[in-house]
Amino acid sequence: MNDVSRYHGEDEDDFRPSAARLVDSLRDTGYLPEAAFADVIDNSIAANATRVRVELSALYGEVRVVFLDNGDGMDEAGLRSAMRYGSPKRPDPKSLGKFGMGLKTASTAFCERLTVISLKDGVPSIRAWDMDTIRQLDKWVLETPSWSTYAEDRDALVEFAGAGRSGTMVIWEKVDRLVTPGTEQKVLGQLEILGDELCEELSAMFARFLDRNNKAHPDVAISVVGCDGSERHLQGWDPLCLELNSEGVKRVKPLPLKTVTVTRHDGSTSAFTVAGGILPPQNSLSAAEQKQVRYSLDNQGIYIYREGRLIWHEGWPPRMYKKEGKMTRLRVVLDFGHELDDVFSIDFRKSRIIISQTVRQELQKIVAPWRNHVLKEATASGGHDDGGDSAAARHLRANNAIGKHSESTKLASVKVEGGEATLQNKYNRQPVRVDGVHIYSETGVRVREEDSLEGNVLWAGALDDDGEVCVQLGRSHPYFARMYAACKDKPEALMAIDMLLWTCANAEIGIWSEQNKGIIRDFRMSISSGLNILCQELPDPSDD
């Protein structure tokens, strides 16, 4: 710690704001974690970095976050300037690191000590802001830490910079707002979740920089290293998901690019563009595709990009539309350049926008026909994407949902070879051969219909060649026709019943043994018999 006594002194004509008060105010600027991490990465990209790595770690409950890049780096004068709150403007107005505040405010929103090490042509420099020092002295004291404390970090930066011999390391220490304090295990668990969330958010924010086929923006490789040392390399995520389209097959319906010209505050004009896409019906997507598309109510709406970087995706702008299930398939992309920062009222966090009434009206003119088209399709399908009347389409939602959670619902380890299955479960610690269970060669289908099942039961457990549990449904059972007739226009209810019956089949496989297989069969027949009687209270299918 520096000798702070030499900084004391008063000047009755010095009316600069209290550093102690202001630094705490600047910590409360409303940053979300992903926005803060993105702000630091913005500076790396602005410094022409081609590689950025984020490291999350914790030791004895103390969290540490490190950012490394191989960008241009800074010499001593450049680093001092960059550490200044309100640092000089960058020469390129398109720069993602535009406002001179992000590095400091984004960092200290979550930590009490910010240290920056920069390497320029092989020469390292180091500076640090420490909130405790600033509060104690009530002065903006920019510290120069001892290299003995940060020697390992300096060496790590030199290694990361490589032959270029330039780069920057940003270190967050005394992290007090990123996770909730607790045991080391609790902290590590929170950091693991944070790592997952960062990978998802950053892959969207910097998608165009991560995409090497996008020639409009520089290529940047971004990775996140977790507490266990594993490194995840981010892949860009496009909300329109046009990668689902192939030659001659347009699963995502692209919507035409529109250009909107607006008048800026100084009277000059500039333009932004609007494009969009309509995703395929949810039940036409596999579980893997739904994950890839990030199919959810939260992800509908407008995605706004500034200079190629995603800055806002909170659904629909205020006073435009509300989120609704029927609109989940519609996504809209708005692109604008730095010259429209004042029109969209971009703040230094680059995570807030204000859509003026004029711009909102222009947007609605463009989006309204697209929205009406999606609503019309939803109405035509009874408010949902039924995908048709075939057995496969009828159970597709349930198939995808069950497949999505296959690992967490697994009750037995099953292997299928040569048309025979062996399993291990809590009743069979060693592999045993399973008999009396049908095995399907076609895989990936969890809910299957058959004309009838042995004993005219409603359902029976089955397997496929991958060893996954399936449920067979007997169409000849009286409950079957009445059940599906009652749920014809209620896809969620239909999915819920499919899930229930599949879970019964899964439980059968989970407890199957040579000793109790007869009990399982009797249990299934007893339930089917009871449903045969009770289903008389349901409407006859012919009445529908």
Side-chain angles (χ1 to χ4, degrees), residues 176-196:
D176 60 342
R177 295 183 175 182
L178 197 58
V179 298
T180 303
T183 63
E184 184 167 9
Q185 183 177 5
K186 181 180 179 181
V187 169
L188 291 174
Q190 292 179 78
L191 287 177
E192 182 179 357
I193 295 172
L194 175 64
D196 293 339

Side-chain angles (χ1 to χ4, degrees), residues 94-325:
K94 295 182 178 181
S95 171
L96 295 183
K98 171 183 176 178
F99 296 93
M101 295 289 285
L103 170 63
K104 286 76 67 176
T105 54
S107 299
T108 59
F110 295 97
C111 73
E112 291 252 293
R113 182 175 176 84
L114 165 65
T115 302
V116 179
I117 303 173
S118 200
L119 190 69
K120 183 71 172 180
D121 297 327
V123 180
S125 302
I126 183 169
R127 291 289 180 176
W129 284 119
D130 192 294
M131 302 300 102
D132 287 334
T133 300
I134 294 172
R135 293 189 193 101
Q136 182 181 353
L137 300 174
D138 198 14
K139 288 187 177 182
W140 295 102
V141 178
L142 183 62
E143 299 182 10
T144 304
S146 169
W147 280 120
S148 62
T149 305
Y150 291 93
E152 291 185 7
D153 296 304
R154 178 193 58 201
D155 294 344
L157 175 58
V158 170
E159 180 181 353
F160 190 83
R165 302 180 70 237
S166 293
T168 298
M169 173 185 283
V170 175
I171 306 171
W172 293 1
E173 297 173 289
K174 297 199 290 189
V175 176
D176 60 342
R177 295 183 175 182
L178 197 58
V179 298
T180 303
T183 63
E184 184 167 9
Q185 183 177 5
K186 181 180 179 181
V187 169
L188 291 174
Q190 292 179 78
L191 287 177
E192 182 179 357
I193 295 172
L194 175 64
D196 293 339
E197 293 174 345
L198 284 175
C199 287
E200 182 169 310
E201 287 295 321
L202 297 177
S203 67
M205 289 178 172
F206 297 102
R208 298 178 185 180
F209 298 87
L210 292 163
D211 181 4
R212 296 192 176 277
N213 295 320
N214 189 322
K215 303 306 180 184
H217 303 284
D219 295 336
V220 182
I222 303 174
S223 63
V224 176
V225 179
C227 295
D228 61 355
S230 61
E231 184 171 8
R232 286 178 282 183
H233 297 273
L234 272 56
Q235 302 295 318
W237 180 77
D238 170 21
L240 299 185
C241 302
L242 296 176
E243 68 274 8
L244 290 177
N245 291 345
S246 57
E247 192 70 31
V249 180
K250 302 295 184 184
R251 299 178 68 193
V252 176
K253 181 179 180 180
L255 300 169
L257 181 71
K258 303 288 186 179
T259 301
V260 179
T261 301
V262 295
T263 302
R264 299 169 59 194
H265 298 331
D266 62 3
S268 62
T269 59
S270 294
F272 63 85
T273 61
V274 181
I278 300 176
L279 300 177
Q282 183 177 9
N283 59 12
S284 71
L285 299 171
S286 67
E289 287 173 335
Q290 288 187 44
K291 184 176 181 180
Q292 173 188 350
V293 170
R294 302 184 186 178
Y295 206 112
S296 74
L297 184 69
D298 289 339
N299 287 329
Q300 71 172 255
I302 292 183
Y303 291 72
I304 300 180
Y305 294 79
R306 175 192 179 271
E307 296 293 352
R309 203 270 248 183
L310 179 63
I311 62 171
W312 193 88
H313 62 110
E314 300 298 324
W316 301 104
R319 296 183 297 280
M320 190 169 172
Y321 301 118
K322 293 182 179 180
K323 291 181 182 179
E324 54 180 312

